[in-house]
Amino acid sequence: MKQNIYGMTTKDLEEYFISINDKKFRAVQVYEFLYKKRYNNVDEFSNIGNNIKERLKEDFSFDKIHLVTKQEDEGVKKYLFKLQDNEYIESVLMYHDYGISLCISSQIGCNMGCSFCQSGRLKKVRNLESYEMVEQILLVEEDIKTRITHVVIMGIGEPFDNYDNLIKFIKIVNNPKGINLGTRHITVSTCGLVDKIKKFANEEGQVNLAISLHAPTDELRKKIMKIAKVYSIKELMDAIKYYINKTNRRVTFEYILLENVNDSDNCAYELARLLKGMNAYVNLIPYNETDNITYKRTKDVQIKRFYDILKKEGITVTKRKEFGSKVDAACGQLRSNYNK
Ligand code: SAH
């Protein structure tokens, strides 16, 4: 099968051009055509001989994923894409005061089985290829006719369950000859695959890490997240400390507030105790209620109390700006509603 051109790093392309007895510098030329000029096919490439163009057409696919539908609400746009094998994934675009961020999917479905999450209701079908992650950015930029400044891998899927394709994706979009997205503008969100967190700490670049913690104790975390049965919070924290030591980056802890589940004052104190002294901050996420899942969103007064306790205990805390509840923007909602 032909490889998709959007899944190639410049190094891969250099090796390819050497293998066909052409020049190494073509790799950068191709990157400029694809990512600076945004040409969609080889015929638009200039300064490349016809024989090489024919070879490129034979050896690579230039196909992209297809935009099926989009929904808009103030400050947010949600995209549904269809892949070549007729599967669906989503991306969510958010306009912030600091820039434009795109939340992309890393898998079709998810096997992590977090009890509050819609994505996990549809089991993992397969990993996304690197090119399918890259193309989410290209298609959204084409739609909004401007450049995205931040990417978060926080859509459908567990990115660390698709580790190699994730790393390749980051290499491709970070390349200054291509999309040129700085690693500090990329955030990977994980439910906490401990071995992969350690591996990630040793990768090049300064990609941000966000951890979906959602509970301060093992007992509670096991009730809402299956992964807590595999790794204890102690093991998770050790891996995160290793990451912080190694990279000097501040880690984000995501904490969804579920009414009467993990939102008590006591939980806030325990969370503060757990994180005290760490180079970290907490992002409180008001739960986005979804069909068929009975959890309720914590009331605003209790969100405020939880926030204030963390603050008083010396933890840096933010509350996630709410986007897109009208556009099914919580993880997996557009896809699962479309499948119905
Ligand atoms: N698997 C990765 C990334 C995808 S989930 C992870 O677990 O981090 C991205 C974030 O959205 C996670 O923090 C997840 O817990 C949260 N999330 C899932 N469903 C949600 C909902 N209905 N409302 C608010 N946040 C949700």
Side-chain angles (χ1 to χ4, degrees):
M1 215 180 75
K2 285 187 192 181
Q3 296 199 69
N4 192 293
I5 195 87
Y6 298 102
M8 303 292 283
T9 62
T10 42
K11 193 160 167 282
D12 295 336
L13 285 172
E14 282 173 1
E15 281 165 14
Y16 166 78
F17 281 113
I18 290 167
S19 80
I20 63 162
N21 293 318
D22 194 29
K23 305 279 190 301
K24 215 166 125 177
F25 70 78
R26 290 254 187 262
V28 168
Q29 241 184 334
V30 167
Y31 252 53
E32 283 169 352
F33 292 143
L34 296 177
Y35 299 116
K36 300 283 188 217
K37 301 209 189 304
R38 299 285 161 109
Y39 293 155
N40 290 312
N41 65 69
V42 177
D43 294 325
E44 294 176 274
F45 291 11
S46 48
N47 304 325
I48 291 192
N50 281 336
N51 53 334
I52 301 287
K53 287 189 189 177
E54 288 312 311
R55 256 327 270 272
L56 284 171
K57 283 187 208 169
E58 273 167 38
D59 294 335
F60 294 102
S61 156
F62 288 73
D63 290 344
K64 295 211 193 87
I65 59 177
H66 293 282
L67 174 58
V68 178
T69 175
K70 53 184 178 186
Q71 289 182 359
E72 284 190 59
D73 195 1
E74 38 188 290
V76 56
K77 263 190 181 182
K78 178 127 188 174
Y79 296 85
L80 186 74
F81 295 110
K82 188 174 179 175
L83 310 180
Q84 269 132 5
D85 52 358
N86 295 330
E87 296 291 345
Y88 293 90
I89 52 160
E90 312 168 11
S91 316
V92 182
L93 182 79
M94 287 160 284
Y95 291 90
H96 299 277
D97 37 16
Y98 59 79
I100 304 175
S101 80
L102 185 68
C103 174
I104 69 163
S105 295
S106 58
Q107 298 181 315
I108 302 169
C110 183
N111 278 346
M112 298 300 119
C114 298
S115 61
F116 45 80
C117 179
Q118 189 76 283
S119 301
R121 307 239 126 187
L122 305 166
K123 287 276 155 264
K124 179 171 105 177
V125 178
R126 65 170 172 86
N127 287 327
L128 289 190
E129 298 297 331
S130 308
Y131 72 84
E132 292 169 317
M133 293 189 249
V134 173
E135 289 172 4
Q136 293 174 59
I137 300 177
L138 296 178
L139 283 171
V140 171
E141 288 190 336
E142 193 178 312
D143 179 60
I144 61 175
K145 299 185 176 55
T146 179
R147 301 298 301 270
I148 287 154
T149 61
H150 294 71
V151 166
V152 297
I153 300 107
M154 228 182 246
I156 299 170
E158 167 50 49
F160 281 171
D161 185 36
N162 186 14
Y163 191 85
D164 293 343
N165 290 344
L166 170 76
I167 298 300
K168 199 169 174 202
F169 159 78
I170 292 170
K171 276 201 185 120
I172 294 169
V173 298
N174 176 238
N175 192 314
K177 302 292 183 201
I179 295 177
N180 194 17
L181 197 70
T183 49
R184 283 165 171 254
H185 286 206
I186 303 173
T187 301
V188 175
S189 176
T190 178
C191 66
L193 304 189
V194 162
D195 49 337
K196 295 295 168 23
I197 293 172
K198 289 187 192 147
K199 198 168 174 193
F200 197 60
N202 294 314
E203 299 284 350
E204 271 170 52
Q206 298 196 297
V207 177
N208 301 303
L209 182 64
I211 306 288
S212 293
L213 186 64
H214 307 325
T217 63
D218 286 322
E219 198 195 349
L220 183 54
R221 198 163 190 259
K222 279 183 197 163
K223 283 189 189 149
I224 58 177
M225 297 174 78
K226 271 207 231 153
I227 194 70
K229 294 178 184 157
V230 182
Y231 301 110
S232 68
I233 289 183
K234 166 87 175 62
E235 289 169 306
L236 179 58
M237 287 301 158
D238 286 347
I240 295 165
K241 281 173 190 158
Y242 176 80
Y243 170 89
I244 293 173
N245 275 335
K246 197 88 202 180
T247 63
N248 231 339
R249 302 291 290 159
R250 187 161 78 156
V251 166
T252 306
F253 286 94
E254 294 159 278
Y255 198 102
I256 299 184
L257 288 162
L258 305 166
E259 190 170 53
N260 297 329
V261 177
N262 66 353
D263 65 346
S264 66
D265 292 1
N266 201 24
C267 282
Y269 284 111
E270 278 183 297
L271 182 61
R273 210 173 309 140
L274 185 67
L275 304 183
K276 202 153 248 178
M278 268 177 104
N279 185 16
Y281 80 96
V282 175
N283 192 205
L284 293 178
I285 308 174
Y287 183 58
N288 206 331
E289 292 175 14
T290 78
D291 286 352
N292 313 318
I293 302 179
T294 53
Y295 293 118
K296 288 275 169 279
R297 182 197 141 102
T298 295
K299 302 273 184 302
D300 287 343
V301 276
Q302 185 57 24
I303 295 180
K304 178 85 173 47
R305 273 179 78 92
F306 203 95
Y307 178 98
D308 288 341
I309 292 171
L310 290 176
K311 202 136 214 188
K312 200 177 75 208
E313 293 296 306
I315 304 295
T316 310
V317 53
T318 54
K319 182 184 147 211
R320 176 173 294 174
K321 184 175 168 202
E322 275 184 279
F323 280 114
S325 45
K326 283 197 210 102
V327 293
D328 295 333
C331 244
Q333 290 182 4
L334 187 62
R335 172 170 178 253
S336 67
N337 288 344
Y338 197 81
N339 277 357
K340 277 186 229 151

PDB file of all heavy atoms in Angstrom, residues 116-117 154-155 157-159 189-191 212 214 254 256 285-288 290 330-331, ligand 1:
ATOM      1  N   PHE A 116     -17.130   8.335  33.021  1.00  0.00           N
ATOM      2  CA  PHE A 116     -17.845   9.592  32.747  1.00  0.00           C
ATOM      3  C   PHE A 116     -17.713  10.028  31.296  1.00  0.00           C
ATOM      4  O   PHE A 116     -18.282  11.022  30.886  1.00  0.00           O
ATOM      5  CB  PHE A 116     -17.270  10.704  33.643  1.00  0.00           C
ATOM      6  CG  PHE A 116     -15.768  10.677  33.652  1.00  0.00           C
ATOM      7  CD1 PHE A 116     -15.057  11.224  32.607  1.00  0.00           C
ATOM      8  CD2 PHE A 116     -15.080  10.060  34.690  1.00  0.00           C
ATOM      9  CE1 PHE A 116     -13.674  11.154  32.587  1.00  0.00           C
ATOM     10  CE2 PHE A 116     -13.695   9.989  34.676  1.00  0.00           C
ATOM     11  CZ  PHE A 116     -12.997  10.539  33.624  1.00  0.00           C
ATOM     12  N   CYS A 117     -16.930   9.292  30.513  1.00  0.00           N
ATOM     13  CA  CYS A 117     -16.527   9.803  29.192  1.00  0.00           C
ATOM     14  C   CYS A 117     -17.276   9.112  28.072  1.00  0.00           C
ATOM     15  O   CYS A 117     -17.354   7.887  28.018  1.00  0.00           O
ATOM     16  CB  CYS A 117     -15.030   9.618  29.010  1.00  0.00           C
ATOM     17  SG  CYS A 117     -14.423  10.181  27.413  1.00  0.00           S
ATOM     18  N   MET A 154      -6.300  15.889  23.003  1.00  0.00           N
ATOM     19  CA  MET A 154      -7.236  15.752  24.102  1.00  0.00           C
ATOM     20  C   MET A 154      -8.611  15.376  23.570  1.00  0.00           C
ATOM     21  O   MET A 154      -9.606  15.430  24.263  1.00  0.00           O
ATOM     22  CB  MET A 154      -7.341  17.118  24.796  1.00  0.00           C
ATOM     23  CG  MET A 154      -7.220  17.087  26.285  1.00  0.00           C
ATOM     24  SD  MET A 154      -7.417  18.744  26.943  1.00  0.00           S
ATOM     25  CE  MET A 154      -5.789  19.052  27.610  1.00  0.00           C
ATOM     26  N   GLY A 155      -8.648  15.000  22.288  1.00  0.00           N
ATOM     27  CA  GLY A 155      -9.916  14.587  21.689  1.00  0.00           C
ATOM     28  C   GLY A 155     -10.160  13.115  21.972  1.00  0.00           C
ATOM     29  O   GLY A 155      -9.760  12.606  23.013  1.00  0.00           O
ATOM     30  N   GLY A 157      -9.691   9.327  22.255  1.00  0.00           N
ATOM     31  CA  GLY A 157      -8.558   8.408  22.313  1.00  0.00           C
ATOM     32  C   GLY A 157      -7.589   8.689  23.435  1.00  0.00           C
ATOM     33  O   GLY A 157      -7.635   9.743  24.065  1.00  0.00           O
ATOM     34  N   GLU A 158      -6.719   7.722  23.688  1.00  0.00           N
ATOM     35  CA  GLU A 158      -5.662   7.877  24.681  1.00  0.00           C
ATOM     36  C   GLU A 158      -4.345   7.970  23.903  1.00  0.00           C
ATOM     37  O   GLU A 158      -3.865   6.957  23.382  1.00  0.00           O
ATOM     38  CB  GLU A 158      -5.679   6.682  25.644  1.00  0.00           C
ATOM     39  CG  GLU A 158      -4.465   6.542  26.542  1.00  0.00           C
ATOM     40  CD  GLU A 158      -4.070   7.817  27.288  1.00  0.00           C
ATOM     41  OE1 GLU A 158      -4.928   8.470  27.909  1.00  0.00           O
ATOM     42  OE2 GLU A 158      -2.876   8.176  27.229  1.00  0.00           O
ATOM     43  N   PRO A 159      -3.777   9.186  23.822  1.00  0.00           N
ATOM     44  CA  PRO A 159      -2.596   9.355  22.968  1.00  0.00           C
ATOM     45  C   PRO A 159      -1.431   8.425  23.328  1.00  0.00           C
ATOM     46  O   PRO A 159      -0.723   7.944  22.439  1.00  0.00           O
ATOM     47  CB  PRO A 159      -2.205  10.826  23.161  1.00  0.00           C
ATOM     48  CG  PRO A 159      -3.055  11.356  24.262  1.00  0.00           C
ATOM     49  CD  PRO A 159      -4.228  10.457  24.400  1.00  0.00           C
ATOM     50  N   SER A 189      -2.556  15.026  26.572  1.00  0.00           N
ATOM     51  CA  SER A 189      -3.331  14.708  27.770  1.00  0.00           C
ATOM     52  C   SER A 189      -3.481  13.195  27.903  1.00  0.00           C
ATOM     53  O   SER A 189      -3.858  12.518  26.950  1.00  0.00           O
ATOM     54  CB  SER A 189      -4.712  15.361  27.656  1.00  0.00           C
ATOM     55  OG  SER A 189      -5.518  15.009  28.755  1.00  0.00           O
ATOM     56  N   THR A 190      -3.156  12.677  29.082  1.00  0.00           N
ATOM     57  CA  THR A 190      -3.233  11.226  29.286  1.00  0.00           C
ATOM     58  C   THR A 190      -3.994  10.884  30.565  1.00  0.00           C
ATOM     59  O   THR A 190      -3.964  11.649  31.529  1.00  0.00           O
ATOM     60  CB  THR A 190      -1.823  10.600  29.356  1.00  0.00           C
ATOM     61  OG1 THR A 190      -1.947   9.194  29.613  1.00  0.00           O
ATOM     62  CG2 THR A 190      -0.967  11.224  30.444  1.00  0.00           C
ATOM     63  N   CYS A 191      -4.640   9.718  30.557  1.00  0.00           N
ATOM     64  CA  CYS A 191      -5.302   9.258  31.773  1.00  0.00           C
ATOM     65  C   CYS A 191      -4.279   8.652  32.730  1.00  0.00           C
ATOM     66  O   CYS A 191      -4.610   8.267  33.839  1.00  0.00           O
ATOM     67  CB  CYS A 191      -6.413   8.266  31.449  1.00  0.00           C
ATOM     68  SG  CYS A 191      -5.804   6.735  30.741  1.00  0.00           S
ATOM     69  N   SER A 212      -5.055  13.464  33.372  1.00  0.00           N
ATOM     70  CA  SER A 212      -6.447  13.367  33.803  1.00  0.00           C
ATOM     71  C   SER A 212      -6.466  12.620  35.128  1.00  0.00           C
ATOM     72  O   SER A 212      -6.464  11.395  35.159  1.00  0.00           O
ATOM     73  CB  SER A 212      -7.270  12.624  32.753  1.00  0.00           C
ATOM     74  OG  SER A 212      -7.329  13.403  31.580  1.00  0.00           O
ATOM     75  N   HIS A 214      -8.619  13.445  38.215  1.00  0.00           N
ATOM     76  CA  HIS A 214     -10.048  13.315  38.543  1.00  0.00           C
ATOM     77  C   HIS A 214     -10.399  12.744  39.918  1.00  0.00           C
ATOM     78  O   HIS A 214     -11.587  12.651  40.258  1.00  0.00           O
ATOM     79  CB  HIS A 214     -10.802  12.517  37.478  1.00  0.00           C
ATOM     80  CG  HIS A 214     -10.619  13.037  36.073  1.00  0.00           C
ATOM     81  ND1 HIS A 214     -10.487  14.368  35.766  1.00  0.00           N
ATOM     82  CD2 HIS A 214     -10.520  12.372  34.883  1.00  0.00           C
ATOM     83  CE1 HIS A 214     -10.335  14.499  34.452  1.00  0.00           C
ATOM     84  NE2 HIS A 214     -10.350  13.317  33.907  1.00  0.00           N
ATOM     85  N   GLU A 254      -5.766  17.659  35.303  1.00  0.00           N
ATOM     86  CA  GLU A 254      -7.168  17.928  34.969  1.00  0.00           C
ATOM     87  C   GLU A 254      -8.045  17.241  36.017  1.00  0.00           C
ATOM     88  O   GLU A 254      -7.767  16.113  36.432  1.00  0.00           O
ATOM     89  CB  GLU A 254      -7.488  17.368  33.584  1.00  0.00           C
ATOM     90  CG  GLU A 254      -6.735  18.085  32.476  1.00  0.00           C
ATOM     91  CD  GLU A 254      -6.638  17.233  31.226  1.00  0.00           C
ATOM     92  OE1 GLU A 254      -5.763  16.369  31.162  1.00  0.00           O
ATOM     93  OE2 GLU A 254      -7.455  17.431  30.332  1.00  0.00           O
ATOM     94  N   ILE A 256     -12.129  16.753  36.605  1.00  0.00           N
ATOM     95  CA  ILE A 256     -13.542  16.965  36.271  1.00  0.00           C
ATOM     96  C   ILE A 256     -14.320  16.954  37.572  1.00  0.00           C
ATOM     97  O   ILE A 256     -14.127  16.055  38.393  1.00  0.00           O
ATOM     98  CB  ILE A 256     -14.097  15.796  35.442  1.00  0.00           C
ATOM     99  CG1 ILE A 256     -13.347  15.656  34.133  1.00  0.00           C
ATOM    100  CG2 ILE A 256     -15.581  15.977  35.165  1.00  0.00           C
ATOM    101  CD1 ILE A 256     -13.952  14.574  33.251  1.00  0.00           C
ATOM    102  N   ILE A 285     -12.501  21.156  35.722  1.00  0.00           N
ATOM    103  CA  ILE A 285     -13.344  21.051  34.528  1.00  0.00           C
ATOM    104  C   ILE A 285     -14.786  20.803  34.948  1.00  0.00           C
ATOM    105  O   ILE A 285     -15.094  19.757  35.514  1.00  0.00           O
ATOM    106  CB  ILE A 285     -12.879  19.877  33.630  1.00  0.00           C
ATOM    107  CG1 ILE A 285     -11.383  19.979  33.347  1.00  0.00           C
ATOM    108  CG2 ILE A 285     -13.704  19.818  32.355  1.00  0.00           C
ATOM    109  CD1 ILE A 285     -10.809  18.795  32.589  1.00  0.00           C
ATOM    110  N   PRO A 286     -15.667  21.773  34.720  1.00  0.00           N
ATOM    111  CA  PRO A 286     -17.088  21.502  34.977  1.00  0.00           C
ATOM    112  C   PRO A 286     -17.531  20.370  34.055  1.00  0.00           C
ATOM    113  O   PRO A 286     -17.260  20.405  32.867  1.00  0.00           O
ATOM    114  CB  PRO A 286     -17.775  22.820  34.600  1.00  0.00           C
ATOM    115  CG  PRO A 286     -16.685  23.844  34.559  1.00  0.00           C
ATOM    116  CD  PRO A 286     -15.439  23.111  34.164  1.00  0.00           C
ATOM    117  N   TYR A 287     -18.156  19.353  34.627  1.00  0.00           N
ATOM    118  CA  TYR A 287     -18.539  18.187  33.828  1.00  0.00           C
ATOM    119  C   TYR A 287     -19.574  18.560  32.779  1.00  0.00           C
ATOM    120  O   TYR A 287     -20.532  19.272  33.047  1.00  0.00           O
ATOM    121  CB  TYR A 287     -19.111  17.099  34.750  1.00  0.00           C
ATOM    122  CG  TYR A 287     -19.474  15.827  34.022  1.00  0.00           C
ATOM    123  CD1 TYR A 287     -18.508  15.135  33.298  1.00  0.00           C
ATOM    124  CD2 TYR A 287     -20.767  15.314  34.053  1.00  0.00           C
ATOM    125  CE1 TYR A 287     -18.823  13.967  32.620  1.00  0.00           C
ATOM    126  CE2 TYR A 287     -21.091  14.139  33.389  1.00  0.00           C
ATOM    127  CZ  TYR A 287     -20.117  13.473  32.672  1.00  0.00           C
ATOM    128  OH  TYR A 287     -20.437  12.322  32.006  1.00  0.00           O
ATOM    129  N   ASN A 288     -19.339  18.072  31.583  1.00  0.00           N
ATOM    130  CA  ASN A 288     -20.273  18.283  30.496  1.00  0.00           C
ATOM    131  C   ASN A 288     -21.197  17.061  30.461  1.00  0.00           C
ATOM    132  O   ASN A 288     -20.776  15.980  30.084  1.00  0.00           O
ATOM    133  CB  ASN A 288     -19.454  18.389  29.204  1.00  0.00           C
ATOM    134  CG  ASN A 288     -20.150  19.187  28.144  1.00  0.00           C
ATOM    135  OD1 ASN A 288     -21.382  19.239  28.095  1.00  0.00           O
ATOM    136  ND2 ASN A 288     -19.380  19.803  27.279  1.00  0.00           N
ATOM    137  N   THR A 290     -23.637  14.169  29.589  1.00  0.00           N
ATOM    138  CA  THR A 290     -23.863  13.529  28.290  1.00  0.00           C
ATOM    139  C   THR A 290     -24.962  12.476  28.409  1.00  0.00           C
ATOM    140  O   THR A 290     -25.253  11.984  29.495  1.00  0.00           O
ATOM    141  CB  THR A 290     -22.579  12.850  27.746  1.00  0.00           C
ATOM    142  OG1 THR A 290     -22.405  11.612  28.421  1.00  0.00           O
ATOM    143  CG2 THR A 290     -21.355  13.696  27.948  1.00  0.00           C
ATOM    144  N   ALA A 330     -18.109  18.088  24.324  1.00  0.00           N
ATOM    145  CA  ALA A 330     -17.390  17.155  25.191  1.00  0.00           C
ATOM    146  C   ALA A 330     -17.012  15.962  24.344  1.00  0.00           C
ATOM    147  O   ALA A 330     -17.726  15.552  23.448  1.00  0.00           O
ATOM    148  CB  ALA A 330     -18.242  16.731  26.365  1.00  0.00           C
ATOM    149  N   CYS A 331     -15.829  15.485  24.678  1.00  0.00           N
ATOM    150  CA  CYS A 331     -15.250  14.315  24.051  1.00  0.00           C
ATOM    151  C   CYS A 331     -16.210  13.304  23.459  1.00  0.00           C
ATOM    152  O   CYS A 331     -16.991  12.699  24.175  1.00  0.00           O
ATOM    153  CB  CYS A 331     -14.488  13.595  25.140  1.00  0.00           C
ATOM    154  SG  CYS A 331     -12.800  13.545  24.806  1.00  0.00           S
TER     155      CYS A 331
HETATM  156  N1  SAH B   1      -7.380   9.998  27.047  1.00  0.00           N
HETATM  157  C1  SAH B   1      -6.817  11.276  27.324  1.00  0.00           C
HETATM  158  C2  SAH B   1      -7.280  12.370  26.376  1.00  0.00           C
HETATM  159  C3  SAH B   1      -8.737  12.406  25.991  1.00  0.00           C
HETATM  160  S1  SAH B   1      -9.896  12.885  27.230  1.00  0.00           S
HETATM  161  C4  SAH B   1      -7.080  11.668  28.763  1.00  0.00           C
HETATM  162  O1  SAH B   1      -7.701  10.894  29.482  1.00  0.00           O
HETATM  163  O2  SAH B   1      -6.595  12.699  29.201  1.00  0.00           O
HETATM  164  C5  SAH B   1      -9.625  14.586  27.440  1.00  0.00           C
HETATM  165  C6  SAH B   1     -10.158  15.153  28.721  1.00  0.00           C
HETATM  166  O3  SAH B   1     -11.582  15.326  28.669  1.00  0.00           O
HETATM  167  C7  SAH B   1      -9.879  14.264  29.909  1.00  0.00           C
HETATM  168  O4  SAH B   1      -9.432  15.008  31.001  1.00  0.00           O
HETATM  169  C8  SAH B   1     -11.249  13.666  30.150  1.00  0.00           C
HETATM  170  O5  SAH B   1     -11.325  13.140  31.427  1.00  0.00           O
HETATM  171  C9  SAH B   1     -12.162  14.837  29.850  1.00  0.00           C
HETATM  172  N2  SAH B   1     -13.585  14.515  29.651  1.00  0.00           N
HETATM  173  C10 SAH B   1     -14.121  13.379  29.163  1.00  0.00           C
HETATM  174  N3  SAH B   1     -15.466  13.454  29.155  1.00  0.00           N
HETATM  175  C11 SAH B   1     -15.806  14.663  29.655  1.00  0.00           C
HETATM  176  C12 SAH B   1     -17.056  15.331  29.908  1.00  0.00           C
HETATM  177  N4  SAH B   1     -18.209  14.764  29.623  1.00  0.00           N
HETATM  178  N5  SAH B   1     -17.013  16.576  30.437  1.00  0.00           N
HETATM  179  C13 SAH B   1     -15.829  17.177  30.702  1.00  0.00           C
HETATM  180  N6  SAH B   1     -14.633  16.605  30.471  1.00  0.00           N
HETATM  181  C14 SAH B   1     -14.601  15.357  29.960  1.00  0.00           C
END
